[in-house]
Amino acid sequence: MIRFVVLSVLLLGSVASFGQASLQKTFVQKMELPASPDIGTQVLRISESFLGTPYVAGTLEGNPTERLVCKFDGLDCTTLVESVIALAVAKTENSTFEEYKNELTRLRYREGLIDGYPSRLHYILDWMYENQKRGRLEDITSKVGGVPFNKQINFMTTHANLYPSLAASEVYEKLKEQEAVINSREHSYIPKNAIQKAEPMLHDGDIVAFTSSVEGLDVNHMGIISKVGSRAYLIHASLTGKKVIMTNVPLAEYVASVPKHTGMIVARLNDI
């Protein structure tokens, strides 16, 4: 029995080491991609390198304690966006794996500190606000045709059964406080019938998130803009496509085809 336990521990350690080595090898490959003169183009080029990567839902969930999750071999819509931004920042500022992980932490967690489940920026409205506050990006929604987005955000606490971590009362109360703060801010969105008019004002590498018709939920999905002439297309980790793809129709047509998308919000990264 002791021998079996020791062998199991050694095997798990070997698997973890292999996974880390594979992750770092992929990171080095991403750092070898051609450099681009501005952060938006850099984000687009790195996002294109993920085309075909399998879609994996809930990539940040299921850990007994909150920790930084780094994955390149399977992504959901949010982890694609975060991974691409963190890679672009690392390539521009300091091409080390540690810098990538540091930027990923700053993107994903409030004040860049991992302190339990509530420290993660679960709502994209909050994610945009916090990353704008630290200067990484600008919410440009109001500049490209946005109108007031008046909606009470409370999906997580009103559907606590979907989030095992909310079973702890202190975690639930913390999330409820965070929702109240989000609801105290002013937000904008571009209604879906106005998106085509906004497309010429979008740039390569802009981050877009699609507002939701679901009660209490801010957005359903997010991705990265690729411009073709005056039209915008979306690179995203697609649940239906089961991989990272670029839409075969322009952004306005894509959003119109998804009934639960009511519009979009837009962020633009600041040059480093």
Side-chain angles (χ1 to χ4, degrees):
M1 177 61 75
I2 291 174
R3 180 179 295 175
F4 175 77
V5 171
V6 170
L7 287 173
S8 296
V9 170
L10 290 173
L11 180 60
L12 287 171
S14 298
V15 170
S17 297
F18 176 79
Q20 184 74 1
S22 177
L23 194 66
Q24 294 199 33
K25 180 180 179 181
T26 302
F27 171 80
V28 170
Q29 292 170 346
K30 301 298 184 188
M31 292 299 98
E32 292 173 347
L33 291 169
S36 298
D38 64 86
I39 190 68
T41 306
Q42 192 73 71
V43 162
L44 174 60
R45 296 293 171 256
I46 292 174
S47 69
E48 289 173 336
S49 77
F50 280 104
L51 290 170
T53 301
Y55 175 91
V56 177
T59 50
L60 303 183
E61 306 303 328
N63 298 307
T65 58
E66 191 70 21
R67 63 178 181 83
L68 183 68
V69 174
C70 303
K71 284 179 67 68
F72 295 140
D73 58 349
L75 300 163
D76 60 26
C77 67
T78 304
T79 51
L80 170 66
V81 169
E82 290 179 333
S83 297
V84 166
I85 295 173
L87 286 166
V89 170
K91 185 168 178 61
T92 305
E93 290 190 341
N94 180 0
S95 299
T96 65
F97 189 61
E98 284 304 309
E99 176 57 28
Y100 163 75
K101 291 195 295 184
N102 289 339
E103 178 60 19
L104 191 61
T105 304
R106 292 188 288 263
L107 280 165
R108 188 174 290 166
Y109 292 95
R110 199 176 308 278
E111 307 296 337
L113 299 172
I114 303 175
D115 185 20
Y117 189 76
S119 65
R120 198 195 317 162
L121 297 166
H122 297 282
Y123 288 105
I124 298 303
L125 285 175
D126 208 20
W127 183 90
M128 283 197 173
Y129 176 86
E130 291 293 330
N131 281 292
Q132 178 168 266
K133 186 171 72 173
R134 74 182 183 94
R136 178 56 71 214
L137 55 79
E138 180 187 359
D139 183 341
I140 63 166
T141 309
S142 61
K143 295 181 178 180
V144 292
V147 298
F149 182 54
N150 299 315
K151 184 175 183 179
Q152 286 295 112
I153 306 303
N154 56 19
F155 184 86
M156 292 184 72
T157 58
T158 56
H159 297 78
N161 60 303
L162 301 178
Y163 304 93
S165 296
L166 297 191
S169 59
E170 65 273 15
V171 176
Y172 176 90
E173 291 301 326
K174 187 64 177 177
L175 263 292
K176 201 165 183 64
E177 290 173 12
Q178 292 172 1
E179 290 171 344
V181 172
I182 293 170
N183 290 325
S184 72
R185 300 176 187 143
E186 294 182 353
H187 307 286
S188 299
Y189 85 120
I190 302 166
K192 65 194 311 179
N193 61 7
I195 289 176
Q196 184 167 345
K197 185 177 179 181
E199 282 189 37
M201 294 179 275
L202 302 181
H203 292 178
D204 283 338
D206 283 349
I207 307 302
V208 292
F210 304 105
T211 52
S212 178
S213 63
V214 177
E215 186 174 354
L217 187 61
D218 57 346
V219 306
N220 300 312
H221 191 52
M222 67 191 309
I224 297 161
I225 291 298
S226 175
K227 291 298 292 292
V228 179
S230 64
R231 300 307 304 269
Y233 289 75
L234 181 72
I235 295 176
H236 63 132
S238 169
L239 172 61
T240 56
K242 296 181 171 50
K243 60 185 177 181
V244 178
I245 61 173
M246 187 167 83
T247 55
N248 57 11
V249 295
L251 188 65
E253 284 88 328
Y254 161 75
V255 178
S257 73
V258 183
K260 67 178 180 178
H261 292 350
T262 61
M264 71 178 185
I265 54 180
V266 187
R268 180 164 297 158
L269 294 169
N270 291 320
D271 281 323
I272 300 167

